[in-house]
Amino acid sequence: MAEDQNIEYKKSWRDEYLKWICGFANAQGGKLYIGIDDDKRIVGVENSHRLLEDIPNKIATTMGIVCDVNLRKKDGKEYIEIIVEPSNVPIAYKGEYHTRSGATKQQLRGTALQLFILKKMGMSWDDIPHPSATIECIDEEAVKYFVEKAIDAERLSPSARKDSVEKVLHNLELIDDENHLKNAAILLFGKKPQHFFGGVEFKIGRFVHDNTDLIIQDVVTGNILQMADEVISILRSKYLISPIHYEGMVRKEPLEIPDSVLREAIYNAIVHKDYSGVSIQMKVWNDRIELWNDGTLPEGYTIETLLSEHSSKARNKNIANVFYMAGFIETWGRGIDKIRNGLKDAHLPEPSFQEYCGGLRVTIPRAKLLSDLLYYDTQKLSARQKKILNMIRKDIMMSGNMLSARLGVSLSTVRRDIKALTKMGVLQYAGSSKDGHWEILKEIGTK
């Protein structure tokens, strides 16, 4: 058999191969063969009987585990088979932790080591108590917000309104036996969680041509439980379009991308983020939205796994539980399906999912609002109005004075044309007078 995550061949024994045994024990287990070269040819071993005694003793002495060490023979040559069972506790070799990834051995250090040990102990990063955080760091209003959401979702009794902040956190198991707040409590309900963790931000940027063409940006901070509300509010006011239509006499202004789809994608990014990493990033382009969160997929999961029926494996178990209690997410691994089905129901293109830069990137196409949602007779546009749209298409930060100078007409004339284009539903201005920009709502063949 070829070398893989479960098999390793060595021509002769060296004590350093105890690290490989440590790696197998910390991964899925495996077999180490001594006396077989990389080409899988049996070259044999000398002093096989001494090795049968020495190897098990060294394994037990250095790592405290027991492995099957067997003598095998083929074609008149002896070789040794070492069978390593996976361990449910972390195994160290002389203070070092090794694991198996593919056909290679890797030493675990830093954050990777911390997360590995937590996983072996059945814990997640958000389960770690933070020694310097106190109950004074918790925002009482954030806790009340959670309680109301959980009651509305019928996942918490109305009597919880009378519970103290401490009792709510205890019931959610966000305070340990020594009354230390867990990381999850600070992230979910903290007044300023970014004072404790560097990556607690949600960055939004508006791009046009490439990654260097950043027009406007916002950074959302604060607790992660209420973060999605603020992100949606900012998207609605500055980044996305809300086409107006009427149902009877009722005026409707839904977002171009359904609120439920955006929230599901945002919730997934927040819940599954690696909070030892960097900020969540959302890039809004003319034709798409890209949402990226730090953190690799669960072990054994691929993009294909996400797109098929799968179980939910939360990176941050406590955070996921609170979002579930609040009615924000389910626990059945249905988040991806809800995004896809929500876009399909809105007659929007299929999203895409990619493993990218150590995290997951979700790309949601934007609607072709001009051709799909609106209609206008292009013959009603004047030649100057078409020129204005062409100029704005090339530079959405174009000011009235700039348009006036380039067209060779007065500013009042430009303003009349812009007012007419806005009234037609062809053009709108998004954002403030200082950092806002133009949005062309309808591509109408102005060239």
Side-chain angles (χ1 to χ4, degrees):
M1 293 178 289
E3 287 186 342
D4 58 18
Q5 69 270 22
N6 303 115
I7 295 175
E8 182 78 28
Y9 298 114
K10 300 296 180 185
K11 292 177 64 176
S12 59
W13 172 257
R14 296 179 185 176
D15 285 354
E16 67 180 274
Y17 295 151
L18 290 167
K19 297 178 182 178
W20 271 256
I21 294 172
C22 176
F24 280 131
N26 282 328
Q28 302 173 27
K31 296 180 180 180
L32 177 63
Y33 291 96
I34 309 300
I36 301 179
D37 64 16
D38 290 339
D39 295 324
K40 296 176 284 183
R41 295 178 301 188
I42 299 174
V43 297
V45 293
E46 298 179 359
N47 302 318
S48 59
H49 292 288
R50 179 174 59 81
L51 290 175
L52 287 175
E53 294 182 3
D54 288 350
I55 292 175
N57 288 336
K58 289 178 179 179
I59 293 172
T61 300
T62 58
M63 291 176 280
I65 59 176
V66 177
C67 298
D68 287 337
V69 181
N70 305 309
L71 181 64
R72 304 295 188 193
K73 292 183 180 180
K74 187 175 183 180
D75 299 331
K77 296 178 181 179
E78 296 180 334
Y79 63 97
I80 291 176
E81 176 189 59
I82 304 171
I83 302 175
V84 186
E85 296 294 332
S87 174
N88 57 5
V89 296
I91 301 298
Y93 169 73
K94 295 184 177 180
E96 298 177 353
Y97 291 86
H98 301 267
T99 189
R100 187 81 173 176
S101 179
T104 63
K105 177 194 70 65
Q106 296 180 357
Q107 183 176 349
L108 294 166
R109 297 182 177 90
T111 301
L113 175 58
Q114 182 187 54
L115 295 175
F116 163 76
I117 293 175
L118 287 172
K119 182 179 178 181
K120 284 291 185 180
M121 296 172 65
M123 299 172 64
S124 56
W125 176 88
D126 66 339
D127 212 29
I128 302 173
H130 201 294
S132 63
T134 64
I135 198 68
E136 285 72 27
C137 300
I138 298 299
D139 184 352
E140 184 176 350
E141 292 303 314
V143 176
K144 290 181 179 178
Y145 171 88
F146 161 75
V147 170
E148 292 302 322
K149 292 292 184 181
I151 292 172
D152 289 343
E154 298 183 349
R155 291 170 182 171
L156 203 61
S157 168
S159 62
R161 292 191 178 100
K162 300 177 182 179
D163 292 342
S164 66
V165 169
E166 291 90 340
K167 185 173 182 180
V168 172
L169 297 182
H170 271 294
N171 289 341
L172 293 171
E173 299 183 358
L174 299 180
I175 300 180
D176 70 5
D177 294 337
E178 298 178 358
N179 286 324
H180 290 139
L181 295 177
K182 295 183 179 180
N183 287 341
I186 303 168
L187 289 168
L188 289 160
F189 304 113
K191 294 176 182 175
K192 294 184 178 180
Q194 62 271 20
H195 286 184
F196 296 90
F197 313 110
V200 192
E201 293 178 338
F202 197 114
K203 295 183 177 179
I204 311 171
R206 181 66 169 89
F207 296 82
V208 180
H209 301 297
D210 54 44
N211 285 314
T212 65
D213 193 9
L214 175 63
I215 299 173
I216 54 173
Q217 62 179 327
D218 287 274
V219 179
V220 179
T221 58
N223 72 72
I224 64 173
L225 187 69
Q226 295 172 287
M227 185 173 281
D229 286 349
E230 187 170 352
V231 171
I232 293 291
S233 177
I234 291 173
L235 289 175
R236 183 180 291 277
S237 65
K238 297 174 65 175
Y239 290 85
L240 301 181
I241 298 167
S242 300
I244 299 170
H245 72 278
Y246 288 85
E247 295 180 7
M249 297 297 292
V250 181
R251 177 185 170 116
K252 299 288 186 178
E253 295 184 56
L255 275 172
E256 58 179 275
I257 297 171
D259 183 281
S260 60
V261 170
L262 287 171
R263 284 186 180 275
E264 189 67 36
I266 293 167
Y267 288 147
N268 282 347
I270 293 172
V271 169
H272 297 295
K273 180 188 181 313
D274 178 357
Y275 283 94
S276 63
V278 298
S279 307
I280 298 173
Q281 299 173 18
M282 175 180 278
K283 296 181 179 181
V284 180
W285 301 84
N286 290 343
D287 62 343
R288 68 193 185 278
I289 295 174
E290 295 177 353
L291 176 61
W292 178 87
N293 67 274
D294 203 351
T296 57
L297 295 178
E299 184 176 345
Y301 275 38
T302 64
I303 296 298
E304 288 70 28
T305 308
L306 296 182
L307 297 178
S308 59
E309 185 176 347
H310 64 279
S311 59
S312 176
K313 289 187 177 181
R315 179 189 308 278
N316 305 297
K317 298 177 182 178
N318 295 287
I319 293 173
N321 179 59
V322 171
F323 271 67
Y324 167 76
M325 292 287 291
F328 295 162
I329 64 172
E330 300 296 333
T331 59
W332 301 98
R334 296 175 55 241
I336 301 298
D337 283 343
K338 290 176 73 174
I339 294 172
R340 298 172 73 189
N341 292 334
L343 290 173
K344 183 178 179 181
D345 292 342
H347 306 290
L348 295 174
E350 180 86 1
S352 64
F353 303 86
Q354 295 174 301
E355 291 184 87
Y356 178 75
C357 291
L360 179 67
R361 180 168 65 184
V362 181
T363 301
I364 301 174
R366 297 182 69 182
K368 296 179 181 178
L369 291 176
L370 296 179
S371 59
D372 294 346
L373 301 180
L374 300 172
Y375 172 79
Y376 185 75
D377 183 356
T378 59
Q379 298 304 315
K380 293 183 179 179
L381 289 181
S382 70
R384 188 173 58 244
Q385 289 169 344
K386 292 180 181 180
K387 288 181 180 179
I388 289 174
L389 289 177
N390 271 328
M391 291 179 183
I392 288 175
R393 182 185 290 108
K394 295 175 182 177
D395 183 2
I396 62 175
M397 302 295 288
M398 184 76 66
S399 68
N401 287 326
M402 293 170 64
L403 289 168
S404 172
R406 295 188 184 186
L407 290 168
V409 298
S410 67
L411 180 59
S412 60
T413 299
V414 170
R415 287 174 174 168
R416 281 197 301 271
D417 283 331
I418 287 177
K419 184 177 181 180
L421 291 169
T422 302
K423 188 175 181 180
M424 295 174 194
V426 176
L427 186 68
Q428 77 172 12
Y429 192 77
S432 67
S433 58
K434 291 184 178 180
D435 60 1
H437 63 280
W438 293 106
E439 295 273 6
I440 297 178
L441 303 180
K442 188 176 181 183
E443 289 296 345
I444 52 180
T446 55
K447 294 183 181 180

